[in-house]
Amino acid sequence: MTAANVKIYYKSNEDLEVNSGSSVFAKGMIKADKFDLEVSIGSSCIITLSTDFIDVEISSGSMLTLYEEQILQI
C-alpha cells in the first residue's frame, strides 16, 4: 500500500467527502454558512468547523472527530 500526502488550498468550501480508507485533517478552521460532510468506508476525518448548519453522514467503520467553533443546528 502506498501512502500519499496531499495539501489542498481553497478559498471556499461547502462540502467534504472522505472515503475508501483515506484520512483527512485540517490544520485550520473551515468556515461555511452550511456544510455537508460524508465520511464512509473505513475513513477518518478530524476538522474544526465554524458553521450555522451541518449535514453529516458517517458509516462503514469510519471515524469522525468534529470540533465546533459556534453552536450548530444538527
Side-chain angles (χ1 to χ4, degrees):
M1 182 166 147
T2 303
N5 290 322
V6 177
K7 291 183 180 181
I8 299 173
Y9 300 93
Y10 61 91
K11 291 186 178 185
S12 66
N13 191 10
E14 293 181 351
D15 65 355
L16 177 63
E17 293 183 21
V18 185
N19 49 40
S20 300
S22 59
S23 297
V24 172
F25 71 94
K27 286 185 178 181
M29 182 187 338
I30 298 174
K31 296 179 182 180
D33 293 331
K34 178 184 174 198
F35 197 79
D36 295 321
L37 177 60
E38 182 179 337
V39 184
S40 62
I41 313 173
S43 57
S44 65
C45 180
I46 302 172
I47 58 175
T48 301
L49 283 176
S50 175
T51 186
D52 294 324
F53 179 84
I54 185 169
D55 182 17
V56 176
E57 291 182 38
I58 184 165
S59 63
S60 303
S62 298
M63 182 190 79
L64 171 62
T65 304
L66 182 63
Y67 299 97
E68 63 179 283
E69 187 57 31
Q70 58 181 307
I71 296 173
L72 304 174
Q73 300 172 12
I74 298 178

